[in-house]
Amino acid sequence: MRYHSTRSREFSVSSAEAIVRGIAPDGGLYMPEPFPTLDWQALLCAGAKETAAAIAHAFFPELADMRALVRSAYTGKFDTENWTPLREVGECYVLELFHGPTSAFKDIALSMLPWLLRRSRAQTGEEREILILTATSGDTGVAAMRGFADVPGMKICVFYPDGGVSAVQRAQMVTQEGANVRVAAVRGNFDDCQTGVKRIFAAAPALPGTVLSSANSINIGRLVPQITYYFQAYSELLARGAVQPGGEVNFAVPTGNFGDILAGYFAKRLGLPVGRLLCASNANRVNADFLATGVYDRRRTLRRTDSPSMDILVSSNLERLLYMASGGDCALVASLLASLAREGRYAVPPELKEAICADFWGDWCDDAQGAQTTGRVFRDNGYLLDPHTAVGWTAAARYREQTGDPRPMVVLATASPFKFPGAVLGAIGGGMAGDEWAQMERLSAISGLPIPANLARLREKAARFPGVIDIADLPRFVAAFGEGKAWPA
Ligand SMILES: *Cc1c(COP(=O)(O)O)cnc(C)c1O
């Protein structure tokens, strides 16, 4: 099996190289050819670790001893025995993906990526240290710092917009332990942070002895670990008799960069009986509009919503879907993405739209509708949704209503409600007074749920990285970190 770009088959690389490089030289995303096969039925009674190892082995066959790697990645990280418990809530099943170390679903992939990178680096003969540079508007930076902390041979440096992340997210980053992590707030917005990071990549090799890499979700090593929980959910439904062997299950996925939902599509292509994948957007509805019209149009203003981790106008992993649904038509993908770069939009041929809509269904809702859903689900079922998950539930409820599709529906819960206590309290009529810490306590009192331990501990932890820097200082900040020097000097 080799990996090549979604935009051209010209250069192919091993799976280890695809993981180390992250993005193909022509700007495309790496895809395996042929697409892996897997004895997926054998996995249905396996545990999470076994399943994760088997799937990762199918995609990255030359990486040695995947089981050991999975153990290193996940041991001791989750607060529940089953990493991703499935709860029956009213008409739906909720797949809770937030029991990891930072209480968001990104933990599942970002626990594994550092170990995949480390093994890939060793097997490609790369001797330099890997330095991960990430600009974040919240969850990615938090989960990436936690995932990379103290992984040998790796360093991670994260930038976030000063005042642009929640108090909880900031506390999660500035208190992160580990000798190989560093983070700074940047005077500017998220785009400024991202532009600053891109400049450092463009200027490479700026740091002798290191290779720069990124932790964002275009890396195939970040996508593949997410397939595991679709299998786990299906096994669990089988075990409960909620689905008969071979029966199909629908999944509703709160979507931003299209990574999480694409993992569900990968699961389907591996053979798992997945029915419809519901792509749920917030008011930044580029993906929902695309699924409705076949036109992807980024020419609009980004809105800030209550589900900030889905505030996105360019959904990178959609490129992989275009590739797969067109039967691997690299020339078509290249021309669509060139059109996006040139004109800010593209329109797919009707037969491609039809192929995509056979598997996907798009919908969106705004903050008010999401809050209404959260309020209703809490009143009716005593279950708390975070604002991202509420977007998924809203789409699931509407889909049911409009189609009458009787297949079981699993809603992916991507964050703990305690990560966004203000919005959740507002939605359930709990009063939003006080800072986020007071809000977490009130939410706990109202719901009877404990505050997740990693969040409860944060308040007492000392800030290791309280610094705020100017955008112009990014290169020097990174250089100082790369050389093991303190900042400010
Ligand atoms: C990142 C994130 C999402 C969106 O996932 P994608 O893979 O980018 O589509 C949804 N919810 C939460 C809480 C997230 O952190």
Side-chain angles (χ1 to χ4, degrees), residues 189-258:
N189 60 26
F190 172 66
D191 282 337
D192 298 327
C193 294
Q194 195 151 43
T195 308
V197 164
K198 280 188 183 153
R199 273 202 206 113
I200 298 176
F201 275 105
L207 294 172
T210 48
V211 201
L212 295 180
S213 190
S214 110
N216 74 27
S217 69
I218 56 177
N219 194 309
I220 189 73
R222 184 160 156 197
L223 195 59
V224 167
Q226 298 176 342
I227 301 169
T228 304
Y229 45 77
Y230 287 91
F231 280 82
Q232 292 289 107
Y234 192 84
S235 303
E236 189 63 36
L237 288 171
L238 267 183
R240 294 185 197 178
V243 66
Q244 296 308 307
E248 289 183 344
V249 173
N250 298 328
F251 290 89
V253 188
T255 294
N257 211 18
F258 215 80

Side-chain angles (χ1 to χ4, degrees), residues 101-103 142 146 166-177 418-419 436-437 440 451-464:
T102 76
S103 300
V142 173
R146 180 65 181 80
S166 77
V168 173
Q169 288 169 329
R170 177 182 178 275
Q172 285 181 302
M173 288 189 276
V174 301
T175 63
Q176 178 60 52
E177 289 153 29
F418 288 94
K419 276 199 96 167
E436 287 187 27
W437 311 105
M440 273 194 222
I451 301 172
N454 78 80
L455 298 178
R457 269 196 306 269
L458 277 181
R459 214 173 173 178
E460 281 76 55
K461 284 174 84 176
R464 297 180 64 204

Side-chain angles (χ1 to χ4, degrees), residues 106-117:
K106 290 185 173 65
D107 284 330
I108 293 162
L110 283 166
S111 294
M112 181 93 169
L113 178 63
W115 296 92
L116 288 170
L117 260 171

Side-chain angles (χ1 to χ4, degrees), residues 112-190:
M112 181 93 169
L113 178 63
W115 296 92
L116 288 170
L117 260 171
R118 178 176 138 82
R119 179 65 53 80
S120 300
R121 164 180 168 258
Q123 290 192 209
T124 53
E126 176 60 70
E127 279 164 9
R128 294 170 294 175
E129 198 167 56
I130 292 183
L131 172 57
I132 303 291
L133 281 187
T134 296
T136 187
S137 53
D139 279 347
T140 299
V142 173
M145 285 182 77
R146 180 65 181 80
F148 280 88
D150 291 326
V151 177
M154 306 277 153
K155 279 183 169 170
I156 180 162
C157 191
V158 171
F159 299 104
Y160 67 91
D162 188 29
V165 301
S166 77
V168 173
Q169 288 169 329
R170 177 182 178 275
Q172 285 181 302
M173 288 189 276
V174 301
T175 63
Q176 178 60 52
E177 289 153 29
N180 63 339
V181 307
R182 205 171 277 190
V183 60
V186 175
R187 289 184 195 94
N189 60 26
F190 172 66

Side-chain angles (χ1 to χ4, degrees), residues 104-106 139 254-260 309-310 386 388 414-415 420:
F105 95 98
K106 290 185 173 65
D139 279 347
T255 294
N257 211 18
F258 215 80
D260 199 6
S309 301
M310 293 154 59
D386 100 286
H388 302 78
T414 50
F420 304 94

